[in-house]
Amino acid sequence: MTLTRLPLLALAIMVASAPKLGAQSVLDTVSSNINIEGLETTFDPDTGIATANGNVHIKFSGTEITASHADYNSNTGDIMARGEVTVWKQGITYKGENLMYNIKTNELTGNLIRSGMGHGQGTVFYNTEKFETETKFIDRIDGGLTFLTTHDYENPNFRIKCKQMTIYPDDRIVMRNITMYVNNTPVFWFPYLVQPLDDELGYRFTPGYSDLWGAFLLNQWGVIHGDHTLAKYHFDLRSARGVAGGAEYISLRHKDNEENFGTLQWYVASDSDGQATTGAGSRSTVVDSTRYRVNFQHRIYLPGPEESTWFMDFDLNKMSDIHFYEDYFLDEFRRNREPDNQISLIHTDPKYVATLMGKFQINDFYRTETRLPELSVDFIRHQLGNSNFFYQGTTSAGILREKYSTEEEAKFKSSLDNLKASVDEPGFTRFHSYHEFLYPKTFGGWLNVVPRIGGGLTYYGDVQGGKDGQGDELKGIFHAGLDVSFKATKTWDDVQNETMGLDGLRHVIRPYLNYSYLNANDPEGLPSIDRLSPTTRARTIDVPLFTAIDDLRSWNIARVGVQQLFQTRRDYQSFDASQSKFRAANAASTQTYNWAGVNTYVDLFAEDPEYDRSLSNLYNEVFWRPLPWITFFSDTQLPIGSSDFNFTELNHGITWLPNDRLSITLQHQFIADHPFLEDSSRVSSTIYARMSENWGLSMNHVYEIDDGTLQYQSYALHRDLSSWIMTLGLRMLDSKGGKGDMAVLLSFTLKDFPQVSLPVDGAQNVVNNHGSHGGF
């Protein structure tokens, strides 16, 4: 029987009445799952094979196939399509001359297949002579001789040829015997490459010049070992410093965690000029020519491997000398120039966190406080049974020492004998316990009152580095506090302004008082290890949050302030990017959005634990973020008291995108009359301008107004080369009294295929070297 332009479903219904045993099974399979159309369709009930010719269109469970000819075997579930075959599956298009698809296993195989993947279909194109997928959701794609490119032209200016390819969607691409072509000219060959789809890895190189490094070429190769470890191998050449190399190993299980657990990295440099520096003067210590770093950060769940409430954290960092980060990884040096070394056993519970820590000195050129060991239990604020009382507290016990650096020890040894008390390294055995109870209450439905009372003690034994003959010491702690606040609101539903992102406006004002009285006797001459760090911000006056246990001194403080919020309704689905404004929100999907806010407060001192003030600065914290293209903040503190320890600090910043071609970020940091910090007035800017479809310009500046120094400046010209983005950058550092540094670099980055690229952009290494805010 031959039918013209009829669905095979209708054909199956007709043959179901024939006295053939296979017809009913075809009817069940076909009518419930698959629809096949063609100019001519035939069906053989004996074999269960249906055939369609001419403009064939097949639909099955979210998959569509078009071809010139197709055979469907209802027994095996195979669809064999021939002649200009196109398959749409999971948002990806596959094209070829011969393609087989199994509706039972969802496997797809074929020869001479063309397809694309990446940020939307067609971002990355590939052509493979042999093609095969596995499992229903395409967990794996295997290809033979394959060509890949990101250039959407008939004759691409860039392509990669590999003898064998395996794609694990949303994971990685494995390629073997790879040749990279620019036009038709081979430029690189690699025997093996594993490229993650969610990270800009693979092979990259960065040439450039720096005053500190000379001419340099930084090389990185990214591969995956097994299915668990992402590795980055480095081999770097610097004309002024020599050869260096290393590796980073990143656990794929922990790759996206914020704590950076699951990493092991090492880097070794044969430095021919370790005394070179960008700062003023010369180095006081001789730097060995063999320099290195080894870093290990890892978390092990117990008993494992699944996540649990018991785990061990490792944070180990060994360097050859104190200047290594400064010379080779300046960005890390600025973020954390003295990394810790500690191992912790941690147990978490909804009501507490228990930690057994060992912290020790591995790098003897840093001053380090050691904890060998320290056990602490921090109780999270929680309700006591069904009562209205809440509890929070902390208990810790440990052996603490402060280990001086080798340079400090040398200075102390050359001091006079009568300074011996200060030569001994501070240390003690310490037990600290503090517990606090709170009773939140609301009066009249609007006034919130939270009284709190707490007490504790700190015991010090085996004290070293204090006054002569100092024995055991005991510090008693008593704390009483009161939080009082209320909210008042005013709403204007008729305030509508799409340009400023307003769909109604609500003003929330919350006056508050935080009163804190602390009585803590301070034993005379007792050394401090957990002490206050210098800051320009107000200290916390909540004892459980005060981590500088050894500097816990009596105070009597009232923090008085007013917090104001300006809120609107916001439906993010209603944003019109073409006009940079929000349309009227859909009531069913709206959220409350903090459009702007102001927090103003001051501390009133009856007893100041630090500077003997009666009045602190006036603090003011402002933010305004009406739309995605503009954000403003302002943090200020102004002196309103007469103490020598009152000072002025102003921090302002704005990010503005006036159109789709220009982005501007400006910041100003000002400080004056601080008792310890130098006066400063610093302006910084970051500007990016898209001059045309193919050209862009970016600039970064940091200018110190106080001494007239342009401390940092960078300029980068970006050129879109279809598949690539080329960047030519210039960066200059200057410091008052220092030599400064200048660097030039050239980088290439695959634009359209950043997840599966062979990147040649060394921005990360250059940022590490020069501390650039964002690189070029």
Side-chain angles (χ1 to χ4, degrees), residues 281-326:
S282 59
R283 288 175 174 167
S284 57
T285 57
V286 176
V287 177
D288 192 81
S289 60
T290 301
R291 310 178 68 185
Y292 61 87
R293 65 179 289 181
V294 180
N295 310 89
F296 179 64
Q297 287 77 35
H298 195 53
R299 171 170 291 178
I300 300 176
Y301 289 99
L302 304 174
E306 297 79 11
E307 293 189 11
S308 65
T309 59
W310 287 90
F311 52 89
M312 290 190 67
D313 284 349
F314 297 83
D315 185 8
L316 305 176
N317 304 274
K318 172 63 177 174
M319 283 88 70
S320 59
D321 57 83
I322 195 172
H323 301 294
F324 183 79
Y325 275 18
E326 181 182 5

Side-chain angles (χ1 to χ4, degrees), residues 61-97:
S61 184
T63 299
E64 295 190 34
I65 302 174
T66 62
S68 300
H69 175 89
D71 295 317
Y72 168 65
N73 189 322
S74 61
N75 298 312
T76 63
D78 287 330
I79 298 174
M80 175 61 75
R82 295 187 294 274
E84 299 181 356
V85 183
T86 301
V87 178
W88 291 274
K89 182 177 176 64
Q90 294 179 214
I92 301 177
T93 301
Y94 306 92
K95 295 184 177 181
E97 286 302 310

Side-chain angles (χ1 to χ4, degrees), residues 325-391:
Y325 275 18
E326 181 182 5
D327 289 347
Y328 289 93
F329 301 94
L330 186 56
D331 187 55
E332 293 185 51
F333 174 75
R334 291 181 171 181
R335 284 187 281 109
N336 185 15
R337 64 179 59 192
E338 298 182 10
D340 291 329
N341 285 279
Q342 61 189 42
I343 300 174
S344 303
L345 173 63
I346 302 172
H347 173 57
T348 61
D349 184 87
K351 294 184 179 180
Y352 67 88
V353 177
T355 304
L356 178 62
M357 174 194 294
K359 187 176 181 181
F360 35 86
Q361 184 185 54
I362 290 182
N363 304 300
D364 59 6
F365 40 80
Y366 291 140
R367 178 187 288 203
T368 306
E369 79 269 8
T370 65
R371 302 169 191 269
L372 296 172
E374 183 182 50
L375 174 64
S376 64
V377 182
D378 296 313
F379 294 93
I380 302 167
R381 182 182 297 188
H382 61 274
Q383 190 174 6
L384 296 177
N386 295 323
S387 70
N388 291 329
F389 285 94
F390 286 75
Y391 164 77

